[in-house]
Amino acid sequence: MYIPSSNAEHRPEVMLDYMEAHPLAALVTSSSEGMIATHLPLLVDRTRGAHGTLAGHIARSNPQQRQARDGDEALVIFSAHDAYITPSFYPTKARDGKVVPTWNYVAVHAYGTVRFVSDPTELRRHLEALTSRHESSRERPW
């Protein structure tokens, strides 16, 4: 991803905060069958790994679950805010016309490896944490 230096964020805690606040992400993997992406909510565990660990649930029937293998490289893209910026927004347009349209956005790209979990106890613990994360603020959680 091209990031102009004036827009780059280098503080891990800021990126982790964004990932926690906007948990829906695209998990991208590649195999001999090609690239595939799945949008899924992810939990951030800041205590595991040098940069934290992401955990999500992918259905067994999802082709990505069948194509990706433990240890495969993965890219996870978090993105929630964006807006088109018209050249008319810039005062210099009237003077010299040397402006172009652009798109402002916030995105975090996380790189790592895939690890699938099949232990029923660990799966249940993860699904309970995922459900709690998204249901706890409801008046009557599921």
Side-chain angles (χ1 to χ4, degrees):
M1 169 169 69
Y2 168 69
I3 305 171
S5 60
S6 60
N7 294 338
E9 177 59 64
H10 299 287
R11 296 168 294 171
E13 67 276 6
V14 172
M15 292 182 277
L16 290 166
D17 288 347
Y18 187 83
M19 294 158 64
E20 287 178 330
H22 307 284
L24 184 67
L27 168 66
V28 182
T29 58
S30 180
S31 73
S32 61
E33 298 179 50
M35 293 180 70
I36 190 167
T38 299
H39 287 83
L40 65 159
L42 296 170
L43 297 175
V44 176
D45 184 345
R46 295 177 188 228
T47 66
R48 292 178 56 207
H51 303 288
T53 298
L54 300 174
H57 177 264
I58 189 167
R60 292 185 199 274
S61 60
N62 183 318
Q64 189 170 24
Q65 196 275 340
R66 291 190 309 273
Q67 291 176 13
R69 301 284 178 253
D70 278 356
D72 282 358
E73 290 184 335
L75 163 64
V76 178
I77 303 169
F78 293 83
S79 180
H81 297 103
D82 69 278
Y84 171 75
I85 308 298
T86 175
S88 301
F89 177 77
Y90 299 98
T92 57
K93 181 184 183 306
R95 285 195 311 267
D96 58 29
K98 294 181 180 179
V99 294
V100 297
T102 190
W103 206 278
N104 281 357
Y105 60 91
V106 177
V108 174
H109 285 195
Y111 299 88
T113 56
V114 174
R115 182 177 74 89
F116 290 103
V117 174
S118 57
D119 174 66
T121 303
E122 196 171 340
L123 283 173
R124 182 173 182 98
R125 186 172 33 251
H126 169 70
L127 291 174
E128 287 174 352
L130 190 61
T131 301
S132 176
R133 162 71 165 85
H134 298 289
E135 286 285 326
S136 62
S137 64
R138 299 181 56 83
E139 186 177 319
R140 294 175 50 185
W142 178 67

